[in-house]
Structure formats: structure tokens, C-alpha cells
């Protein structure tokens, strides 16, 4: 049998890293590889009450088909929460998605024909790159420093390239680098997007997990022309297993997402939407987020102290003010995949950074996650990784 | 602002019918329009116990990210259930999807380049047509009678058209016609698919809801070369709000679906998967399905008696042996959308059949759903619809 697949399937291949990381599922492994929240912080008892009450009060509705757009009371609450980062929104501006990953896939589907250009940070989120790849675009990476994208370079791209369909950014505690855009760059991004008439996709799964300092306004808050699509999620502040995220955009644009959602899976799990809505009714999500932040802040501290103490000197790395990741740059000639092989021998795992660059290269980088391991394991793991690095550099 | 969308978005437009059907959400409307299960049959009390036990026993895992493929114990149970229709499968052959709708979207994504051909029954499921349309194929409709597709016509299509990527069929209680394929046609379909080396997508959301007679073996059961992809769901036999369905295919093919799932939404809701698995552990789903069948059988009976009694004579319609729908053919010159307008005036709704023909035409048809209204409402509604039809014909 010779099945002829769509051309896009040539673009979607199993990565070697994925295969390598399968080795890291053993319990003895100290893994800095994934992007998993700490499960011991999940509000399991609260979820029991919430599930029971939702089924008691509205069991038939909670288990039935429901509108594609999502459960309106939840959409209202999300709209309200957006105010804290300067976004004025109402329920009608919000589509509930199956995690914000689904918003990324829809973005590709809505905007991208083969050969179109996606402008993104360098590096950028692997899951977004893979979702977009399914629609056969090319990627233009823009150099990104501690303040965000290089705006001169971005303007050069926008002024010379014709087929840019959107600019994709993760401005808060970026995945993979852990870096956050300055307010100035956010404003400038909107200025350039307006000037060159390009939509902006603002992916913001981590912004609420700030350990210190003040949360900057969303890029979307500076949007005067309805060109920013904002993607949010409860995966990092509540429970990822429920797969509830949202896409926020102005009406005409959101309508496209709603059409696409309908063909994709009709709607997001009704029960999960009502459970989160109920949780927001009877508990304080912000208080829950404070608990998460307390734990992650300590883990971040342990990891950063460990890096300072045990890693070779003169490496560049991010000191993240929030989120789940830090990012390390090794000397240019070192291949992080080789480091990973050695690290796995001492039961430590991480993600080599090369895959976060859609056009390749930069194999001398690595992403470290600190949210999913205990303080003790972080301490031990970073010490071991430090030893491996010192041997190899 | 002038946003340039992908070409596929021209293909995805709000349908007038959808707008018309929005009028039918008023409580006084007797609606035969949707495809909703009867919510009074949802196992709400059982779900309470199941939710509680899942959270009690494995709360942290149930709320965490989980593998893209799905929860293995649930995949095992689904594989086992497939035996009743002659499919030999193991957990590894099954990907859990967000409803079987997601399996349809993935099918489009995996197989279709612009201009490729999808061969389908005439008429076919609207949600599948819309999902496929996002990948810009053309549709070849094959005449379908009470036994399934016309096999001579199918062979003519397969022997002359080069770009057929797959054959899409709903062999059991088809949506929209309520018809079921004979065993002979199922075998012949596989024979032709083998001869012309084309994959078959078997969409089977209704097969378990058989009111009388014997369930035929799945098309997949005759598959000797691993070319049939089987799509199943718990939406009609359990609860659609949980959005849990599955795609069953041989390894190499399923791998494509898994890749695409990863980019689309990472995974299906962990909690919902574990809840259904737990339900299957402690309750008898088949017994639950018997209850559903008892209720739907009565509703089907009432509807069919009403049609016989109140509709104009000499109309063609399906007497469905299961599933959710019957299908009525009016005289060629009657436009079912006009009938709908009149019907809404007397608070009755249905779906005009034209939209189920991807290449248009056949506006003299209509689909009637009997699963979601009480026996009394079906009686009243069909009587009213009969009056409208008699006035118009």
C-alpha cells in the first residue's frame, strides 16, 4: 500500500530529541526537560467540590454539547481578568480553546498559505513552530535580547518582505529563554505592526507567574487597531490536564477562530469549562497563583544559585523573574545534544536549545525547567549537570 | 487594517442555515434540527462518583499533562470494545481525540493538498465536509442508496480520477440519511479500495445505537491491508460534553494522527479520559446504551408514525433502524429552506438537506432528528410540519 499524504506531512517528523527524551521518563531521572507544572500544587480537593457542585446544579448541561464559543460565564470572568494587564474585553471577544496550543494551530490555519512568512523571536516556542509548520510557512527569526525583539531588525524585515502574515511573540517569561519584553519594545512592536499593517499574535501562558517586580501591560493593551490576538491559558495557573485556554481578539478576527474551532472539534469540554468557572466563583484563583509562585520562586532561586556555583564561569544565562524556564548559552562550539547524552548518563535531562530555532543552528544552547522538580532534586541535578559541563568545556 | 487571511478561509463562511437555526434556540421551538443526545439520559449520578474517585485515587495525574496518544487503560478498553464489530485492535492502535470531529479534521490535514479529491457519499456529514474544506479539496459525491454507495459509480470514479486521497463513509445510520450499508457493499468497498490503492475513512458515531436487527461488521473488519481509519466516539453513547473520541488505524498511519494531534492541542482532557475509563471499570456501558436505545426507539417510532400519518403521501423517507436521524425527500421543485421558514413560524425546526451535499443541489431534502425531543413534542412537531408541507406541496 502506498498512501499519498499531504505535502505538509513531510514537514512534520519525529524529532531525535523527542526520542532521546523518552529515555528520561525513568523515575531516577532528574528532569529539567519538560514544561510541566508542579502537580502537588493542583487544587485536587477543590476540584472534587467543584466537580460535585457542577454535576449537582447542572449535570445535564455540563455533559451536553455546548456552543463553540465557550461557556459565557467563564468567558466573562476571563475578560474581567484581562483588565489587570490593560486589556479591555467582554465575553464576546473570547473563544475558549483546548489549551492555548489550539489557538496556535488555529492561527496557522487562519493566516498561512504555503510559502507565507511567520516572523518570530529567535528562539521561539517549539510547540508554536510545529503547529505553524503544518501550514508550510517559512520563518523569519528576529534577534531577541533581554528587552525583546530587535526593533530595527524587525522593521527591516517588515519593510522588505512582502509575505509576512503575522508576528508571533511570547513577551512574558518567554519559552524557551525566560526573558520578558520591556514596555518600550511592546509599544514599538505595535507601532511597527500598525505601520506595516501586520497582525500580532501575543502568546502569554506564563505572565501571571511573576516572582518579583511589576507585571508589564500586555502588548494587546497598546493595540489601537484590533490587530493583536492574545492567547491565554489556565494550564500554568490551574491545571493543564483540563485543556482550557482562550483566544482573545476583536470580533471579525475572532469569528475566523470560531469557524475553525467548529471544524476542529466543535467545542472545548463543557464540564471542564464549568468546573473552572465554578472554581473562580467559590475560590480565589489569585491566591492559588500566589502559592504556585512561592514554590516556583524558591525553585528558581535554587536553580540559579546552583548554576552560579556549579556551572563553568562565563556562560550566559537568563535570570528569569517568573515563568518556568531559564536558558543557558554554551560556548559556540559545544553541541548541547552531546551534553544531553552525557547528562542522561548521570540521570539528568534538559532540552537542547537548537529545536527552538525554526531555521536551525544555535546548537550550543539549552533550556532548563525548574517548576516540576523538588528543591533537593534541582540542587542535585544542577550540580551533576555542572560537572558534565565542566568536563566537556 | 487589511488582514490577509489564508486562502482556505474563503472556503469557510457562516452558513445562512446556521443563522436561521439561531432562531430555533427559543424554548417554545420543537427542534428536529440538531444532533443532540437526550440529556436526561446522561449518567449524572454515576459521573459524580466517577469524578470523585478519579480525583481521590489519582488527582495529581488526572489534572496534569498526559501523553498525546491518550490514557492507556482507556485505549485498551476501547480496543477491546472494537471486537464486537470484528476489529482486532490493541491500545497502541488507538489515539484519543477530542470527539471524532477532531479525527475528521486531522484526516483532512494528513491527506489533503489543495485540489485533491475526497470521495464521499451523497449526501454526507456536514461537519466532515466543513472540516475537509479547510484543506481545499474537491468533493466527488457517489450516489448512495439504501445499501450504501453505488459500487459501479465508485469504481468509475476511482478508475478515472487520479487525485483521490481517500473515501469517506459513515456506514451505520448515516448522518444525514439514517441509512446503513449492507455487508456486501462493505466488502466491495474494501475490494475497490485495495484495487485502486486508496485509504478509507470509516466514521462510526452511531453504530452502537441499533434499535433492531443485527449490527453489521465494521468496514474496518474487512480491511486486510491497514488502509481503513476508523473513527469512534463516546458522544452518542455516553456524554458529548466530555469531548472524547478515538481514531483507530494501523501503526504508521496512526503515527501521522499523533503528530498532528500534538500540534493541534497536545492531548485530550486527561480528567475526562480517566473519568470514562473509571465509568467503564465500575459500570456497564452496554447496559447504559440499552437505556438510550429504549428511549430513542420509542421516539423513532413516534416520529415515523407521525410522518406516515401527517406528511403528504408519496414522499420518500428513511425508516432508520438506529441512530439519531431520518431523512425526507420532497418533490424536486420544493425548497426545504422555504419549508423551514414556514415551519419556524409554527415553532418547528429541522435542517434543510442541501448543505449535506458538498457540491450543492438537492434543496428538496431535509434531515429530522428524534433523539433530543420528548415523545409528546415529536408528535406535535411532526403534525405541525405535516400541515406546513401539505400547504406547500
Amino acid at each position: 500500500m502506498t498512501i499519498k499524504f499531504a505535502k505538509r506531512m513531510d514537514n512534520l517528523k519525529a524529532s531525535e530529541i523527542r526520542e532521546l527524551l523518552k529515555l528520561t521518563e525513568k523515575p531516577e531521572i532528574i528532569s529539567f526537560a519538560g514544561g510541566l507544572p508542579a502537580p502537588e500544587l493542583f487544587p485536587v480537593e477543590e476540584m472534587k467540590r467543584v466537580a460535585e457542585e457542577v454535576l449537582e446544579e447542572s449535570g445535564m448541561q455540563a455533559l451536553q454539547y455546548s456552543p463553540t464559543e465557550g461557556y459565557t460565564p467563564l468567558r466573562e470572568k476571563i475578560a474581567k481578568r484581562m483588565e489587570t494587564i490593560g486589556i479591555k474585553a467582554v465575553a464576546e471577544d473570547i473563544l475558549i480553546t483546548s489549551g492555548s496550543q489550539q489557538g496556535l494551530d488555529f492561527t496557522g490555519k487562519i493566516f498561512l498559505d504555503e510559502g507565507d512568512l511567520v516572523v518570530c523571536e529567535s528562539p521561539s516556542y517549539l510547540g508554536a513552530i510545529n503547529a505553524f509548520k503544518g501550514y508550510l510557512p517559512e520563518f523569519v527569526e528576529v534577534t531577541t535580547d533581554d528587552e525583546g525583539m530587535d526593533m530595527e531588525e524587525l522593521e527591516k524585515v517588515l519593510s522588505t518582505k512582502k509575505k509576512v502574515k503575522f508576528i508571533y511573540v511570547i513577551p512574558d517569561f518567554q519559552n524557551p529563554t525566560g526573558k520578558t519584553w520591556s514596555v518600550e519594545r511592546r509599544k514599538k512592536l505595535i507601532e511597527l505592526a500598525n505601520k506595516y499593517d501586520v497582525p500580532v499574535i501575543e502568546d502569554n501562558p506564563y505572565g501571571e507567574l511573576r516572582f518579583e517586580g511589576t507585571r508589564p501591560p500586555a502588548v494587546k493593551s497598546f493595540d489601537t487597531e484590533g490587530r493583536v490576538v492574545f492567547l491565554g491559558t489556565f494550564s500554568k495557573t490551574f491545571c493543564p490536564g483540563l485543556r482550557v485556554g482562550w483566544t482573545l481578539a476583536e470580533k471579525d478576527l475572532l469569528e475566523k477562530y470560531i469557524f475553525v474551532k467548529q471544524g476542529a472539534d466543535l467545542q472545548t469540554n463543557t464540564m471542564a469549562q464549568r468546573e473552572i468557572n465554578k472554581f473562580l466563583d467559590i475560590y480565589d484563583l489569585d491566591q492559588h497563583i500566589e502559592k504556585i509562585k512561592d514554590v516556583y520562586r524558591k525553585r528558581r532561586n535554587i536553580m540559579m544559585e546552583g548554576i552560579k556555583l556549579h556551572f563553568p564561569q562565563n556562560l550566559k544565562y537568563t535570570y528569569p523573574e517568573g515563568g518556568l524556564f531559564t536558558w543557558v548559552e554554551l560556548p559556540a562550539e559545544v553541541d548541547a545534544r552531546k551534553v544531553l547524552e552525557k547528562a542522561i548518563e548521570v540521570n539528568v535531562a534538559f532540552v537542547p536549545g537548537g529545536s527552538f530555532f525554526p531555521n536551525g543552528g544555535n546548537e550550543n544552547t539549552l533550556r532548563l525547567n525548574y517548576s516540576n522538580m523538588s528543591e533537593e532534586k534541582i540542587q542535585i541535578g544542577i550540580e551533576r549537570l555542572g560537572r558534565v559541563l565542566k568536563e566537556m568545556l
Side-chain angles (χ1 to χ4, degrees), chain A:
Chain A
M1 188 178 52
T2 51
I3 295 183
K4 289 181 276 307
F5 294 107
K7 191 177 165 195
R8 68 177 63 83
M9 297 311 289
D10 299 337
N11 243 8
L12 300 174
K13 295 243 162 88
S15 77
E16 332 152 31
I17 289 155
R18 218 179 146 67
E19 295 309 304
L20 205 53
L21 289 177
K22 275 190 182 161
L23 300 173
T24 71
E25 281 161 18
K26 294 177 293 181
E28 65 270 28
I29 287 272
I30 296 178
S31 178
F32 306 130
L36 272 61
E40 63 272 26
L41 297 170
F42 294 153
V44 175
E45 288 307 313
E46 291 86 341
M47 274 298 294
K48 274 190 207 166
R49 179 174 160 197
V50 154
E52 162 122 36
E53 288 194 17
V54 165
L55 287 166
E56 184 65 38
E57 293 164 12
S58 56
M60 287 198 279
Q61 294 89 325
L63 299 172
Q64 183 62 292
Y65 284 117
S66 58
T68 302
E69 292 84 341
Y71 184 50
T72 302
L74 178 62
R75 294 160 75 208
E76 279 165 4
K77 290 188 181 69
I78 292 170
K80 185 101 183 81
R81 289 183 66 82
M82 295 285 85
E83 278 175 21
T84 54
I85 44 172
I87 300 174
K88 285 191 194 81
V90 293
E92 289 68 31
D93 302 325
I94 286 168
L95 165 68
I96 303 293
T97 54
S98 300
S100 53
Q101 181 69 34
Q102 191 174 48
L104 293 169
D105 181 49
F106 291 175
T107 297
K109 196 164 189 177
I110 288 167
F111 289 105
L112 298 176
D113 289 316
E114 185 174 350
D116 281 343
L117 300 185
V118 171
V119 172
C120 66
E121 294 158 282
S122 181
S124 186
Y125 168 51
L126 182 57
I129 295 168
N130 282 339
F132 300 154
K133 269 188 181 171
Y135 304 96
L136 299 167
E138 288 169 29
F139 293 88
V140 182
E141 298 176 41
V142 174
T143 309
T144 307
D145 61 25
D146 290 349
E147 307 264 293
M149 266 184 189
D150 180 321
M151 288 294 143
E152 278 182 32
E153 194 178 319
L154 176 62
E155 177 145 28
K156 204 174 291 171
V157 169
L158 296 178
S159 62
T160 54
K161 309 257 187 198
K162 293 281 167 231
K163 301 176 87 177
V164 173
K165 281 301 190 70
F166 59 79
I167 306 166
Y168 169 68
V169 296
I170 310 142
D172 290 44
F173 315 128
Q174 203 233 19
N175 183 353
T177 63
K179 292 175 185 172
T180 298
W181 286 43
S182 67
V183 174
E184 204 182 321
R185 293 273 179 98
R186 290 168 197 244
K187 289 181 181 166
K188 186 73 186 170
L189 173 64
I190 292 295
E191 197 189 306
L192 292 178
N194 285 347
K195 182 170 171 189
Y196 294 98
D197 202 11
V198 178
V200 173
I201 313 302
E202 177 178 21
D203 186 11
N204 203 321
Y206 315 108
E208 286 166 278
L209 300 176
R210 173 170 282 278
F211 312 145
E212 55 240 351
T214 317
R215 192 171 179 194
V219 170
K220 175 75 183 161
S221 75
F222 302 112
D223 179 17
T224 49
E225 304 184 356
R227 67 172 64 253
V228 180
V229 177
F230 180 97
L231 306 179
T233 181
F234 289 105
S235 290
K236 305 305 184 291
T237 55
F238 192 63
C239 310
L242 297 181
R243 311 305 301 124
V244 177
W246 63 92
T247 297
L248 185 162
E250 61 83 33
K251 196 174 166 297
D252 291 350
L253 199 43
L254 194 71
E255 203 171 66
K256 305 286 181 186
Y257 282 84
I258 296 168
F259 283 155
V260 165
K261 172 81 178 163
Q262 187 143 24
D265 63 1
L266 302 179
Q267 53 148 125
T268 294
N269 185 311
T270 319
M271 183 81 189
Q273 294 186 60
R274 284 179 179 254
E275 283 170 345
I276 294 181
N277 180 66
K278 174 64 79 177
F279 183 94
L280 291 168
D281 266 339
I282 60 181
Y283 296 105
D284 184 341
L285 180 61
D286 292 313
Q287 204 175 309
H288 177 66
I289 292 173
E290 286 304 318
K291 270 194 262 175
I292 299 176
K293 280 158 49 172
D294 284 345
V295 171
Y296 290 3
R297 185 188 296 109
K298 282 187 207 147
R299 292 180 182 182
R300 187 268 325 257
N301 291 346
I302 301 277
M303 181 172 277
M304 300 320 292
E305 282 160 24
I307 288 176
K308 207 170 163 188
L309 208 59
H310 302 296
F311 279 23
Q313 298 303 306
N314 304 322
L315 296 184
K316 261 187 85 177
Y317 51 82
T318 308
Y319 187 92
E321 293 187 328
L324 273 58
F325 306 107
T326 185
W327 176 255
V328 182
E329 294 176 41
L330 307 173
E333 71 281 5
V334 182
D335 183 345
R337 285 174 306 185
K338 297 244 163 69
V339 179
L340 176 59
E341 282 168 27
K342 291 280 177 205
I344 288 176
E345 286 173 19
V346 293
N347 287 333
V348 175
F350 59 84
V351 181
S355 9
F356 297 95
F357 296 86
N359 299 324
N362 303 86
E363 298 293 352
N364 62 319
T365 55
L366 55 97
R367 188 191 75 176
L368 297 174
N369 166 273
Y370 48 76
S371 60
N372 192 242
M373 289 284 124
S374 69
E375 294 178 32
E376 198 197 344
K377 282 192 174 174
I378 293 174
Q379 211 157 18
I380 299 169
I382 289 294
E383 195 183 329
R384 285 188 198 161
L385 188 54
R387 266 204 305 268
V388 168
L389 285 171
K390 281 181 176 160
E391 277 168 30
M392 293 185 71
L393 301 196

